[in-house]
Amino acid sequence: MAPLPPLPVHDPALADRHLLALPDGVEPDEVEVLASSRFRNVRWEDASPGDAATRTGVLPAVTAALGIRSVGARAITAPVRALRLARLSSLAGPYGVAVEDAVALGLPASTRTVWVLSAPRERGERPWPGGDRDGLKRAFPDGLPVREEERVLQWLVAAARRLGGAVRTQTGAILTPDPDASTDLTVLTSRWLEPDDVLRIVQRVQPRAYLSVATPGSWAGPASRTGRGSQGAVGGSPEAGGSGLRAALERYGVADEDERHRLMAEADAYDELMLAAPPPAEAFGVLVDLGVDGMLAVEVSATEQLPPLLEGLPWVADGVVAYRVRWEPREIEQLEQERPTLDHRVARSRSAPLVCAVARVLHAEVGGEIADESDFLVDPADL
Protein backbone atom coordinates (compact mmCIF):
# COMPACT_ATOMS: atom_id res chain seq x y z
CA MET A 1 0.00 0.00 0.00
CA ALA A 2 1.39 3.39 -1.00
CA PRO A 3 2.26 5.73 1.86
CA LEU A 4 -0.22 8.45 2.63
CA PRO A 5 0.65 12.03 1.75
CA PRO A 6 1.66 13.93 4.89
CA LEU A 7 -0.62 16.53 6.40
CA PRO A 8 0.62 19.99 5.30
CA VAL A 9 0.93 21.37 8.80
CA HIS A 10 3.06 24.23 7.48
CA ASP A 11 0.21 25.84 5.51
CA PRO A 12 -1.50 28.70 7.41
CA ALA A 13 -4.75 27.94 5.56
CA LEU A 14 -4.98 24.67 7.49
CA ALA A 15 -5.80 26.67 10.63
CA ASP A 16 -9.06 27.71 8.95
CA ARG A 17 -10.30 24.14 8.54
CA HIS A 18 -12.06 21.60 10.73
CA LEU A 19 -9.98 18.42 11.08
CA LEU A 20 -11.09 14.84 11.69
CA ALA A 21 -8.32 12.88 13.43
CA LEU A 22 -8.52 9.08 13.43
CA PRO A 23 -6.47 6.27 14.98
CA ASP A 24 -4.64 3.54 13.11
CA GLY A 25 -6.69 0.96 11.23
CA VAL A 26 -9.56 3.19 10.00
CA GLU A 27 -9.93 2.77 6.24
CA PRO A 28 -11.36 5.39 3.83
CA ASP A 29 -14.33 3.19 2.98
CA GLU A 30 -15.39 3.27 6.64
CA VAL A 31 -15.50 7.06 6.52
CA GLU A 32 -17.43 6.87 3.24
CA VAL A 33 -20.05 4.53 4.75
CA LEU A 34 -20.57 6.85 7.72
CA ALA A 35 -20.95 9.80 5.37
CA SER A 36 -23.50 7.90 3.28
CA SER A 37 -25.44 7.16 6.45
CA ARG A 38 -26.07 10.88 6.97
CA PHE A 39 -25.79 12.60 3.57
CA ARG A 40 -27.30 11.80 0.19
CA ASN A 41 -25.27 11.70 -3.03
CA VAL A 42 -21.95 11.17 -1.26
CA ARG A 43 -19.20 10.67 -3.85
CA TRP A 44 -15.46 10.82 -4.34
CA GLU A 45 -13.97 13.73 -6.25
CA ASP A 46 -10.55 15.05 -7.12
CA ALA A 47 -9.55 17.50 -4.44
CA SER A 48 -9.42 21.12 -5.53
CA PRO A 49 -5.86 22.10 -6.57
CA GLY A 50 -6.20 25.40 -4.72
CA ASP A 51 -7.11 23.80 -1.40
CA ALA A 52 -4.56 24.17 1.35
CA ALA A 53 -4.79 20.48 2.03
CA THR A 54 -3.94 19.39 -1.52
CA ARG A 55 -1.03 21.58 -2.56
CA THR A 56 2.28 19.95 -3.41
CA GLY A 57 5.71 21.15 -2.54
CA VAL A 58 8.28 20.98 0.21
CA LEU A 59 7.61 21.61 3.88
CA PRO A 60 9.69 24.44 5.29
CA ALA A 61 10.14 24.91 9.00
CA VAL A 62 6.80 25.35 10.72
CA THR A 63 6.18 28.90 11.94
CA ALA A 64 3.72 30.31 14.43
CA ALA A 65 0.72 29.89 12.11
CA LEU A 66 -0.62 27.06 14.29
CA GLY A 67 1.65 27.62 17.25
CA ILE A 68 3.75 24.57 16.42
CA ARG A 69 7.46 23.99 16.76
CA SER A 70 9.82 23.78 13.75
CA VAL A 71 10.26 20.46 11.97
CA GLY A 72 12.55 19.26 9.22
CA ALA A 73 11.65 19.61 5.57
CA ARG A 74 9.95 16.74 3.75
CA ALA A 75 8.11 16.39 0.48
CA ILE A 76 4.35 16.48 -0.01
CA THR A 77 4.09 13.88 -2.70
CA ALA A 78 0.63 13.97 -4.22
CA PRO A 79 -2.87 15.38 -3.84
CA VAL A 80 -5.60 13.21 -2.38
CA ARG A 81 -9.25 12.67 -3.16
CA ALA A 82 -12.11 14.47 -1.49
CA LEU A 83 -15.37 12.99 -0.28
CA ARG A 84 -18.25 15.24 -1.28
CA LEU A 85 -20.66 15.51 1.66
CA ALA A 86 -22.97 18.36 0.68
CA ARG A 87 -23.25 21.03 -1.97
CA LEU A 88 -20.52 23.22 -0.47
CA SER A 89 -18.73 20.78 1.82
CA SER A 90 -16.13 18.10 1.15
CA LEU A 91 -13.70 16.04 3.21
CA ALA A 92 -10.19 15.61 1.81
CA GLY A 93 -7.96 12.77 2.93
CA PRO A 94 -6.67 10.69 4.42
CA TYR A 95 -3.36 12.32 5.29
CA GLY A 96 -0.65 10.70 7.33
CA VAL A 97 0.50 12.57 10.42
CA ALA A 98 3.47 11.97 12.67
CA VAL A 99 2.93 11.66 16.41
CA GLU A 100 4.82 14.87 17.13
CA ASP A 101 2.74 16.81 14.60
CA ALA A 102 -0.51 15.41 15.99
CA VAL A 103 0.46 16.41 19.52
CA ALA A 104 1.54 19.86 18.31
CA LEU A 105 -1.90 20.32 16.79
CA GLY A 106 -3.48 19.34 20.10
CA LEU A 107 -4.75 16.01 18.71
CA PRO A 108 -4.50 12.70 20.60
CA ALA A 109 -1.15 10.96 20.36
CA SER A 110 -2.97 7.94 18.91
CA THR A 111 -3.83 9.93 15.77
CA ARG A 112 -2.45 8.36 12.59
CA THR A 113 -4.58 9.90 9.85
CA VAL A 114 -6.29 13.26 9.43
CA TRP A 115 -9.12 14.36 7.15
CA VAL A 116 -9.56 18.05 6.27
CA LEU A 117 -13.06 19.50 5.98
CA SER A 118 -13.79 22.31 3.57
CA ALA A 119 -17.16 23.84 4.45
CA PRO A 120 -18.81 27.26 4.43
CA ARG A 121 -18.49 29.27 7.61
CA GLU A 122 -22.02 29.94 8.80
CA ARG A 123 -22.43 31.12 12.36
CA GLY A 124 -25.51 32.07 14.32
CA GLU A 125 -26.15 33.37 17.82
CA ARG A 126 -24.03 32.81 20.88
CA PRO A 127 -24.86 29.49 22.59
CA TRP A 128 -27.45 29.39 25.33
CA PRO A 129 -26.56 27.95 28.73
CA GLY A 130 -27.23 24.27 29.16
CA GLY A 131 -26.01 20.88 28.05
CA ASP A 132 -23.13 20.60 25.62
CA ARG A 133 -22.70 16.89 24.94
CA ASP A 134 -20.62 17.33 21.77
CA GLY A 135 -18.61 20.29 23.08
CA LEU A 136 -19.75 22.60 20.28
CA LYS A 137 -20.80 25.36 22.67
CA ARG A 138 -17.33 25.29 24.18
CA ALA A 139 -15.72 25.33 20.73
CA PHE A 140 -17.85 28.20 19.38
CA PRO A 141 -18.56 30.60 22.26
CA ASP A 142 -19.11 33.57 19.96
CA GLY A 143 -21.65 31.96 17.64
CA LEU A 144 -22.71 28.38 16.95
CA PRO A 145 -22.45 26.92 13.43
CA VAL A 146 -25.74 26.89 11.56
CA ARG A 147 -27.13 25.43 8.34
CA GLU A 148 -24.63 23.40 6.32
CA GLU A 149 -21.66 23.99 8.59
CA GLU A 150 -23.71 22.80 11.56
CA ARG A 151 -24.80 19.63 9.75
CA VAL A 152 -21.36 18.61 8.55
CA LEU A 153 -19.69 19.49 11.86
CA GLN A 154 -22.22 17.46 13.83
CA TRP A 155 -21.50 14.55 11.49
CA LEU A 156 -17.77 15.05 12.01
CA VAL A 157 -18.22 14.74 15.79
CA ALA A 158 -20.49 11.69 15.38
CA ALA A 159 -17.93 10.02 13.09
CA ALA A 160 -15.17 10.73 15.61
CA ARG A 161 -17.30 9.15 18.35
CA ARG A 162 -17.98 6.04 16.25
CA LEU A 163 -14.36 5.61 15.11
CA GLY A 164 -12.62 6.57 18.34
CA GLY A 165 -11.13 9.77 16.95
CA ALA A 166 -11.21 13.48 17.64
CA VAL A 167 -12.11 16.76 15.93
CA ARG A 168 -10.05 19.94 15.81
CA THR A 169 -12.35 22.84 15.01
CA GLN A 170 -11.42 25.94 13.07
CA THR A 171 -11.41 27.80 16.40
CA GLY A 172 -8.65 25.53 17.69
CA ALA A 173 -10.83 23.61 20.16
CA ILE A 174 -10.28 19.86 20.42
CA LEU A 175 -13.38 17.67 20.69
CA THR A 176 -12.86 14.09 21.82
CA PRO A 177 -16.35 12.57 22.02
CA ASP A 178 -16.68 9.57 24.29
CA PRO A 179 -17.58 6.44 22.26
CA ASP A 180 -19.37 5.03 25.32
CA ALA A 181 -21.78 7.99 25.38
CA SER A 182 -23.74 6.50 22.47
CA THR A 183 -25.95 3.88 24.12
CA ASP A 184 -29.30 3.91 22.33
CA LEU A 185 -30.06 1.59 19.41
CA THR A 186 -32.93 1.37 16.94
CA VAL A 187 -34.09 -1.73 15.07
CA LEU A 188 -35.57 -0.70 11.72
CA THR A 189 -37.75 -3.33 10.07
CA SER A 190 -40.87 -3.90 7.99
CA ARG A 191 -42.48 -6.14 10.64
CA TRP A 192 -44.96 -4.88 13.20
CA LEU A 193 -45.35 -6.85 16.41
CA GLU A 194 -48.20 -6.49 18.85
CA PRO A 195 -47.42 -5.14 22.32
CA ASP A 196 -47.73 -8.53 24.06
CA ASP A 197 -45.35 -10.11 21.54
CA VAL A 198 -42.74 -7.38 22.06
CA LEU A 199 -43.10 -7.73 25.82
CA ARG A 200 -42.43 -11.49 25.65
CA ILE A 201 -39.33 -10.92 23.51
CA VAL A 202 -37.91 -8.28 25.84
CA GLN A 203 -38.65 -10.45 28.88
CA ARG A 204 -36.29 -13.10 27.50
CA VAL A 205 -33.39 -10.90 28.56
CA GLN A 206 -35.17 -8.57 31.01
CA PRO A 207 -37.78 -10.57 32.97
CA ARG A 208 -38.89 -7.43 34.86
CA ALA A 209 -40.10 -5.72 31.67
CA TYR A 210 -43.69 -4.48 31.56
CA LEU A 211 -45.94 -2.67 29.09
CA SER A 212 -46.23 1.08 29.42
CA VAL A 213 -49.96 1.53 28.94
CA ALA A 214 -52.61 3.72 30.53
CA THR A 215 -54.83 1.91 33.02
CA PRO A 216 -58.44 1.88 31.71
CA GLY A 217 -60.71 4.03 33.79
CA SER A 218 -57.86 5.61 35.70
CA TRP A 219 -58.72 9.17 34.58
CA ALA A 220 -61.81 10.65 36.20
CA GLY A 221 -61.76 14.00 34.45
CA PRO A 222 -60.16 17.29 35.47
CA ALA A 223 -59.47 17.99 39.10
CA SER A 224 -61.94 20.00 41.11
CA ARG A 225 -61.41 23.74 41.54
CA THR A 226 -59.87 24.08 38.10
CA GLY A 227 -61.13 25.91 35.04
CA ARG A 228 -64.42 27.67 35.50
CA GLY A 229 -64.99 25.78 38.71
CA SER A 230 -62.10 27.68 40.27
CA GLN A 231 -63.69 31.09 39.93
CA GLY A 232 -64.42 32.42 43.37
CA ALA A 233 -63.19 29.24 45.06
CA VAL A 234 -60.75 29.65 47.92
CA GLY A 235 -57.41 28.10 46.91
CA GLY A 236 -58.63 27.35 43.37
CA SER A 237 -56.43 27.67 40.30
CA PRO A 238 -57.14 30.55 37.90
CA GLU A 239 -58.76 29.60 34.65
CA ALA A 240 -56.18 29.02 31.90
CA GLY A 241 -56.33 31.98 29.57
CA GLY A 242 -58.02 34.16 32.17
CA SER A 243 -60.73 36.58 31.11
CA GLY A 244 -59.55 36.35 27.50
CA LEU A 245 -60.70 32.75 27.28
CA ARG A 246 -64.05 33.57 28.87
CA ALA A 247 -64.56 36.45 26.44
CA ALA A 248 -63.75 34.17 23.49
CA LEU A 249 -66.25 31.58 24.67
CA GLU A 250 -68.93 34.20 25.12
CA ARG A 251 -68.28 35.52 21.61
CA TYR A 252 -67.69 32.32 19.63
CA GLY A 253 -69.15 29.56 21.82
CA VAL A 254 -72.49 27.81 21.36
CA ALA A 255 -75.10 29.95 23.06
CA ASP A 256 -78.08 27.62 22.67
CA GLU A 257 -78.28 25.34 25.70
CA ASP A 258 -80.07 22.53 23.82
CA GLU A 259 -77.38 22.56 21.12
CA ARG A 260 -74.67 22.36 23.75
CA HIS A 261 -76.38 19.32 25.30
CA ARG A 262 -76.61 17.68 21.86
CA LEU A 263 -72.91 18.23 21.18
CA MET A 264 -72.00 16.87 24.61
CA ALA A 265 -74.14 13.77 23.98
CA GLU A 266 -72.37 13.17 20.65
CA ALA A 267 -68.97 13.51 22.32
CA ASP A 268 -69.97 11.05 25.08
CA ALA A 269 -71.22 8.55 22.49
CA TYR A 270 -67.95 8.79 20.56
CA ASP A 271 -65.94 8.27 23.75
CA GLU A 272 -67.96 5.18 24.61
CA LEU A 273 -67.41 3.77 21.11
CA MET A 274 -63.65 4.30 21.30
CA LEU A 275 -63.48 2.70 24.74
CA ALA A 276 -65.54 -0.29 23.59
CA ALA A 277 -63.60 -0.84 20.35
CA PRO A 278 -60.34 1.11 20.51
CA PRO A 279 -58.39 1.52 17.26
CA PRO A 280 -55.24 -0.60 16.82
CA ALA A 281 -52.20 0.81 18.60
CA GLU A 282 -49.93 2.88 16.39
CA ALA A 283 -47.27 3.22 19.07
CA PHE A 284 -46.52 1.70 22.43
CA GLY A 285 -43.69 1.14 24.86
CA VAL A 286 -42.08 -1.47 27.08
CA LEU A 287 -40.24 -0.40 30.23
CA VAL A 288 -37.65 -1.99 32.49
CA ASP A 289 -36.92 -0.45 35.88
CA LEU A 290 -33.14 -0.57 36.43
CA GLY A 291 -33.29 0.84 39.95
CA VAL A 292 -30.45 3.26 40.68
CA ASP A 293 -29.33 2.97 37.04
CA GLY A 294 -32.56 4.49 35.68
CA MET A 295 -34.94 3.03 33.10
CA LEU A 296 -34.67 1.06 29.89
CA ALA A 297 -37.41 1.81 27.36
CA VAL A 298 -38.43 0.16 24.10
CA GLU A 299 -40.53 2.56 22.02
CA VAL A 300 -42.33 1.10 19.02
CA SER A 301 -43.84 3.19 16.24
CA ALA A 302 -43.90 3.64 12.48
CA THR A 303 -41.23 5.95 11.10
CA GLU A 304 -40.53 7.78 7.87
CA GLN A 305 -37.07 9.03 8.84
CA LEU A 306 -34.48 6.57 7.58
CA PRO A 307 -30.71 6.68 7.13
CA PRO A 308 -30.03 7.45 3.45
CA LEU A 309 -28.34 4.04 3.11
CA LEU A 310 -31.72 2.34 3.60
CA GLU A 311 -33.74 4.50 1.24
CA GLY A 312 -34.72 2.67 -1.92
CA LEU A 313 -34.38 -0.84 -0.48
CA PRO A 314 -37.30 -3.12 -1.43
CA TRP A 315 -38.34 -3.92 2.14
CA VAL A 316 -38.84 -0.25 3.12
CA ALA A 317 -41.37 0.43 0.35
CA ASP A 318 -44.42 -0.57 2.42
CA GLY A 319 -43.40 1.27 5.56
CA VAL A 320 -40.84 0.89 8.31
CA VAL A 321 -41.33 0.20 12.01
CA ALA A 322 -38.78 1.51 14.50
CA TYR A 323 -38.07 -0.37 17.73
CA ARG A 324 -36.10 2.24 19.70
CA VAL A 325 -34.19 0.86 22.67
CA ARG A 326 -33.23 3.75 24.96
CA TRP A 327 -31.51 4.12 28.28
CA GLU A 328 -32.77 6.92 30.52
CA PRO A 329 -30.61 7.67 33.57
CA ARG A 330 -32.05 8.96 36.82
CA GLU A 331 -30.36 12.32 36.27
CA ILE A 332 -31.46 12.92 32.69
CA GLU A 333 -29.46 16.14 32.34
CA GLN A 334 -26.25 14.09 32.52
CA LEU A 335 -26.95 12.82 29.01
CA GLU A 336 -26.15 16.26 27.63
CA GLN A 337 -22.93 16.80 29.57
CA GLU A 338 -19.66 16.61 27.67
CA ARG A 339 -18.03 15.17 30.80
CA PRO A 340 -20.74 13.49 32.91
CA THR A 341 -20.25 12.46 36.52
CA LEU A 342 -18.62 9.21 37.61
CA ASP A 343 -21.95 7.92 38.92
CA HIS A 344 -23.50 8.48 35.50
CA ARG A 345 -20.67 6.71 33.70
CA VAL A 346 -20.88 3.73 36.06
CA ALA A 347 -24.65 3.46 35.55
CA ARG A 348 -24.12 3.77 31.80
CA SER A 349 -21.54 0.99 31.78
CA ARG A 350 -24.04 -1.33 33.48
CA SER A 351 -26.98 -0.32 31.28
CA ALA A 352 -25.35 -0.28 27.82
CA PRO A 353 -24.99 -4.10 27.64
CA LEU A 354 -28.69 -4.41 28.50
CA VAL A 355 -29.60 -2.08 25.61
CA CYS A 356 -27.48 -4.20 23.26
CA ALA A 357 -29.06 -7.43 24.51
CA VAL A 358 -32.61 -6.14 23.96
CA ALA A 359 -31.76 -4.80 20.49
CA ARG A 360 -30.15 -8.12 19.61
CA VAL A 361 -33.18 -10.26 20.51
CA LEU A 362 -35.56 -7.85 18.77
CA HIS A 363 -33.46 -7.92 15.60
CA ALA A 364 -33.32 -11.73 15.70
CA GLU A 365 -37.14 -11.74 15.75
CA VAL A 366 -38.05 -9.00 13.25
CA GLY A 367 -34.94 -8.70 11.06
CA GLY A 368 -34.10 -5.45 9.28
CA GLU A 369 -31.19 -3.24 10.33
CA ILE A 370 -29.86 -1.77 13.57
CA ALA A 371 -28.83 1.89 13.76
CA ASP A 372 -27.17 3.82 16.57
CA GLU A 373 -28.05 7.31 17.82
CA SER A 374 -26.25 8.91 14.85
CA ASP A 375 -28.10 6.81 12.24
CA PHE A 376 -24.95 4.77 11.63
CA LEU A 377 -25.74 1.12 10.94
CA VAL A 378 -24.48 -1.47 13.41
CA ASP A 379 -23.64 -5.11 12.69
CA PRO A 380 -25.65 -7.31 15.08
CA ALA A 381 -22.54 -9.45 15.53
CA ASP A 382 -20.82 -6.45 17.13
CA LEU A 383 -23.43 -6.10 19.87
Side-chain angles (χ1 to χ4, degrees):
M1 180 178 178
L4 297 175
L7 182 71
V9 294
H10 69 292
D11 198 321
L14 191 66
D16 203 37
R17 298 284 189 266
H18 304 304
L19 307 180
L20 173 63
L22 298 175
D24 191 27
V26 179
E27 299 297 330
D29 58 350
E30 296 181 69
V31 178
E32 180 185 7
V33 169
L34 296 186
S36 300
S37 299
R38 185 71 64 86
F39 303 104
R40 294 174 177 82
N41 303 318
V42 170
R43 62 188 183 277
W44 289 101
E45 299 176 341
D46 291 332
S48 170
D51 195 296
T54 62
R55 296 172 188 164
T56 59
V58 177
L59 264 132
V62 178
T63 63
L66 292 177
I68 329 176
R69 55 171 182 73
S70 296
V71 298
R74 60 178 180 268
I76 300 178
T77 55
V80 296
R81 293 188 300 168
L83 193 62
R84 174 64 58 182
L85 303 177
R87 186 171 66 90
L88 301 174
S89 303
S90 61
L91 192 68
Y95 295 93
V97 61
V99 175
E100 57 269 24
D101 290 337
V103 173
L105 285 166
L107 299 171
S110 59
T111 300
R112 295 295 178 270
T113 59
V114 170
W115 297 73
V116 180
L117 177 67
S118 296
R121 185 181 300 183
E122 300 177 284
R123 305 290 161 79
E125 298 180 352
R126 295 173 62 89
W128 291 87
D132 187 22
R133 179 184 181 186
D134 293 336
L136 294 177
K137 293 182 179 180
R138 172 174 61 83
F140 300 94
D142 298 325
L144 286 171
V146 295
R147 294 183 288 274
E148 185 167 317
E149 186 184 25
E150 178 186 21
R151 292 191 295 271
V152 295
L153 192 56
Q154 286 177 340
W155 173 81
L156 218 61
V157 174
R161 176 178 288 113
R162 176 66 177 265
L163 300 173
V167 173
R168 185 185 193 276
T169 68
Q170 169 269 329
T171 61
I174 306 298
L175 309 178
T176 53
D178 184 359
D180 294 333
S182 181
T183 58
D184 299 352
L185 296 169
T186 300
V187 180
L188 299 166
T189 179
S190 59
R191 290 190 58 192
W192 170 272
L193 296 179
E194 295 301 322
D196 289 340
D197 295 328
V198 175
L199 177 62
R200 282 192 291 269
I201 294 171
V202 176
Q203 285 178 335
R204 295 176 191 170
V205 293
Q206 293 296 313
R208 294 176 297 170
Y210 60 93
L211 282 174
S212 175
V213 294
T215 304
S218 61
W219 189 69
S224 60
R225 294 187 175 183
T226 59
R228 291 188 173 184
S230 69
Q231 303 305 305
V234 177
S237 302
E239 180 181 356
S243 59
L245 176 60
R246 293 195 300 272
L249 289 174
E250 292 172 357
R251 181 175 180 180
Y252 301 107
V254 178
D256 185 83
E257 185 173 353
D258 292 338
E259 179 64 9
R260 287 201 302 271
H261 284 302
R262 186 188 68 80
L263 293 174
M264 289 294 294
E266 286 188 1
D268 290 341
Y270 181 81
D271 290 343
E272 291 177 5
L273 176 63
M274 290 296 101
L275 290 173
E282 296 182 357
F284 61 90
V286 173
L287 298 176
V288 182
D289 189 347
L290 302 179
V292 296
D293 291 342
M295 297 288 293
L296 188 151
V298 181
E299 300 171 350
V300 185
S301 64
T303 183
E304 296 180 354
Q305 297 181 349
L306 299 176
L309 279 177
L310 299 184
E311 294 178 354
L313 295 181
W315 64 268
V316 308
D318 295 329
V320 175
V321 181
Y323 296 79
R324 297 181 175 88
V325 188
R326 299 192 305 104
W327 172 60
E328 184 173 298
R330 296 188 69 178
E331 296 182 9
I332 194 70
E333 66 276 4
Q334 289 294 319
L335 286 175
E336 296 303 320
Q337 298 300 315
E338 187 179 10
R339 297 289 181 265
T341 63
L342 176 61
D343 288 344
H344 175 87
R345 298 197 303 272
V346 170
R348 185 179 66 193
S349 68
R350 291 193 292 247
S351 303
L354 306 181
V355 172
C356 292
V358 171
R360 190 164 52 243
V361 296
L362 284 171
H363 179 266
E365 185 72 26
V366 301
E369 298 287 350
I370 302 177
D372 65 11
E373 296 179 21
S374 301
D375 285 340
F376 299 154
L377 299 185
V378 178
D379 189 336
D382 294 335
L383 297 179

